[in-house]
Amino acid sequence: MTDYPSLHMLIGGETIDGGGRATGEVINPATGEILGHVPFATPADLDAALGNADRGFRIWRATPAEKRAKVLQDAAALLRQRAGDIAQMMTREQGKPLAEATGEAIYSAMLFEFYAGECKRSYGRMLVRPAASRAEVRYEPVGPVAAFAPWNFPAINVARKVGGPIAAGCSVIVKPSEETPAAGLAVVQALLDAGCPPEVCQVVFGVPDTVSRHLLASPIIRKLSFTGSTAIGKHLAKLAAEDMKRTTMELGGHGPVLVFADSDVDKVLDTMVATKYRNAGQVCVSPTRFVVEDSIYDRFRDGFIARAKAIKVGNGLEDGVQMGPMANARGTEGLATKIADAVAKGARLDTGGERIGNQGFFYAPTVLSDIPLDAEIMNEEPFGPVALLNAYAGEDAMIAEANRLPYGLAAYAWTQDPVRRRRLADQIEAGMIALNGAGVSAVDAPFGGVKWSGHGSEDGAEGVAACMVVKTVHES
Ligand code: NAD
């Protein structure tokens, strides 16, 4: 097995490790073992990173698109070569099964490949004007970006955070999660090994609030990019507003899944149960509220429970494991509190609802049904392996439930009726909708939410556009 790597920051190409700095423990959520210590940036480290980012931006914005594309393309090739090692470290620091971790490393490479192509497709336009005059609309890189990535997808989140800015011609300082530092470091290392100037892409760690306040207080940073909870997103958006910095906010969700009586129930169950428990439910687009038409509710619930009980839970490094532990103790504790609240308010606990063993943070795949709408779990993102099942009488009631919450990230709906599918696409308030499927993410498709789930997109052409500003040049 690959050793868990030593941990460091990457500031101006220098490998900065302990050196008397405060550190944070990285814990294997399957075993509780301490894997390593991540160094925390001092104020001087952060100032050094800011100075580099300022210089890096001037270098990178003047670098031809073909060169930027080549760096992303070569970094993607390195990520593909290194995917096996990256997956091992990811499973150990985050818990997800090795197959999911390997897929994540490959998907990070695919993101870079897509962004490499987009470097060369950032066009402006000419406006029609009388002869000898013209007006030109130009897209220019916004400037140095400060990006904060969470722990649930340690590689993809970092690849998303740096890919758009690098394609656009920006520099970026990224703070991966201190709980899952190694996979994100490996993503940035691939860029540096592929020839990305070291001032253009840097990695820092620290106490999140200290790092974000320091970076966002600097006029050098022109954009904030954050993925995480809505509460922290609102806090960071306020800090960014002090300096009118641009923002991309990818926040929490509470994904509704509308299942109509005319759908193929077994296919829905086979697809959505696997999707629900992927990454132990710690996915911002996780299917969470199952909004089931009443005539098929009992059959759907029975099928769901049977499939949830059959999921093999264990250490993600072991063969055949379908669900690993939750990533941290906050996760299991928060989930247990929400489940207890729902049961106390009258919900049925159909399966799960408890930790497995006393080593690491394993939690049983859980199904709750007939849950009162005032239960906390029906209103706040559970971010864990729990499915919430309720019966509804027909389309209007089901759409109303989908739109009941202030969140609007991913939504899912299953129906054989094509006209109804159009109505659902029109009426469901979400940034991404999957109709008769589970996929809401693709490298060429904008990824992001509406309402409290945030604003702006990552991935797709929109992911690069979000790192650009518009300038119109009127020439007489
Ligand atoms: P949290 O709100 O404390 O942290 C979420 C993420 O934000 C973490 O990666 C954390 O390091 C970072 N963060 C926290 N405070 C920050 C600050 N002041 N500046 C910069 N970054 C900061 O919650 P948590 O316990 O780590 O995760 C649980 C909740 O977070 C979930 O319920 C979910 O809503 C949300 N979350 C969402 C995503 C997503 O993909 N949208 C990913 C992870 C967590």
Side-chain angles (χ1 to χ4, degrees):
M1 193 197 305
T2 316
D3 284 342
Y4 190 78
S6 66
L7 299 167
H8 50 262
M9 297 183 283
L10 287 166
I11 299 182
E14 274 188 62
T15 296
I16 312 273
D17 49 27
R21 291 170 177 80
T23 58
E25 281 178 356
V26 181
I27 292 175
N28 182 334
T31 61
E33 161 206 12
I34 296 173
L35 291 169
H37 292 87
V38 65
F40 285 3
T42 62
D45 292 332
L46 296 173
D47 285 339
L50 285 164
N52 292 327
D54 195 22
R55 277 191 299 284
F57 175 52
R58 274 178 265 136
I59 296 169
W60 204 231
R61 68 173 298 178
T63 300
E66 289 75 9
K67 172 81 197 312
R68 299 201 302 266
K70 174 106 175 56
V71 164
L72 284 161
Q73 194 71 47
D74 290 354
L78 291 173
L79 287 177
R80 284 182 183 277
Q81 275 170 26
R82 299 172 185 175
D85 288 346
I86 295 173
Q88 293 243 358
M89 53 180 95
M90 201 189 313
T91 293
R92 293 174 74 193
E93 66 186 9
Q94 200 272 347
K96 66 183 62 184
L98 201 53
E100 282 181 33
T102 308
E104 181 172 341
I106 299 289
Y107 195 88
S108 303
M110 289 165 63
L111 278 168
F112 281 178
E113 284 155 2
F114 175 78
Y115 279 130
E118 283 305 293
C119 290
K120 295 178 268 185
R121 285 192 286 270
S122 292
Y123 310 119
R125 69 185 193 277
M126 278 298 177
L127 305 181
V128 176
R129 291 291 180 269
S133 63
R134 62 183 182 178
E136 173 196 359
V137 181
R138 303 159 57 120
Y139 292 87
E140 298 180 349
V142 60
V145 176
F148 304 96
W151 44 262
N152 57 340
F153 288 91
I156 285 178
N157 282 327
V158 171
R160 277 193 171 133
K161 288 279 168 261
V162 302
I166 286 179
C170 301
S171 57
V172 56
I173 302 173
V174 64
K175 190 190 79 52
S177 168
E178 290 69 25
E179 293 174 302
T180 56
L185 268 171
V187 168
V188 173
Q189 190 62 53
L191 282 163
L192 299 183
D193 292 348
C196 181
E199 301 88 345
V200 169
C201 193
Q202 305 178 86
V203 177
V204 297
F205 295 106
V207 175
D209 195 50
T210 308
V211 177
S212 54
R213 280 182 193 276
H214 194 109
L215 295 182
L216 294 176
S218 167
I220 290 172
I221 296 297
R222 294 312 321 149
K223 177 174 171 167
L224 155 70
S225 177
F226 174 70
T227 299
S229 60
T230 296
I232 302 290
K234 288 181 180 180
H235 159 72
L236 293 178
K238 286 179 197 153
L239 293 181
E242 292 288 328
D243 190 36
M244 209 49 83
K245 297 186 201 300
R246 297 196 170 225
T247 54
T248 294
M249 309 301 279
E250 209 273 274
L251 308 177
H254 205 293
V257 186
L258 280 56
V259 188
F260 289 90
D262 64 5
S263 56
D264 176 342
V265 171
D266 284 325
K267 185 171 175 203
V268 181
L269 286 167
D270 288 342
T271 309
M272 297 314 286
V273 173
T275 308
K276 168 69 257 178
Y277 298 108
R278 179 172 74 108
N279 201 11
Q282 304 161 118
V283 181
C284 55
V285 295
S286 188
T288 296
R289 277 172 295 150
F290 288 81
V291 180
V292 186
E293 197 160 15
D294 43 15
S295 62
I296 54 164
Y297 181 66
D298 289 343
R299 184 177 152 215
F300 187 83
R301 198 179 86 226
D302 291 347
F304 209 111
I305 297 165
R307 285 168 177 79
K309 283 182 170 164
I311 288 173
K312 185 173 177 205
V313 181
N315 186 325
L317 293 174
E318 286 166 18
D319 280 349
V321 163
Q322 293 166 300
M323 191 181 101
M326 293 186 74
N328 51 52
R330 290 190 309 289
T332 49
E333 286 159 13
L335 188 59
T337 306
K338 285 192 177 69
I339 290 173
D341 169 75
V343 171
K345 288 184 173 135
R348 291 166 55 146
L349 176 59
D350 293 316
T351 184
E354 59 191 1
R355 284 185 60 176
I356 303 175
N358 55 11
Q359 179 186 283
F361 312 120
F362 291 97
Y363 203 91
T366 300
V367 179
L368 288 174
S369 59
D370 303 347
I371 313 134
L373 293 188
D374 66 346
E376 205 183 306
I377 206 163
M378 288 299 287
N379 298 282
E380 288 172 26
E381 189 175 34
F383 222 64
V386 60
L388 312 174
L389 276 49
N390 274 346
Y392 294 81
E395 185 178 313
D396 289 349
M398 293 166 76
I399 293 175
E401 171 56 25
N403 293 339
R404 180 177 59 86
L405 296 182
Y407 296 102
L409 194 57
Y412 305 81
W414 292 80
T415 173
Q416 309 270 11
D417 179 344
V419 180
R420 173 184 275 155
R421 287 203 293 273
R422 288 296 95 202
R423 280 197 301 274
L424 297 172
D426 284 347
Q427 292 177 32
I428 293 177
E429 297 163 0
M432 296 161 283
I433 303 182
L435 299 172
N436 291 349
V440 289
S441 168
V443 294
D444 59 352
F447 187 94
V450 298
K451 298 160 70 181
W452 281 14
S453 295
H455 53 245
S457 303
E458 297 183 293
D459 309 354
E462 288 80 357
V464 184
C467 300
M468 312 276 261
V469 287
V470 182
K471 181 188 280 173
T472 312
V473 181
H474 299 269
E475 192 175 340
S476 301

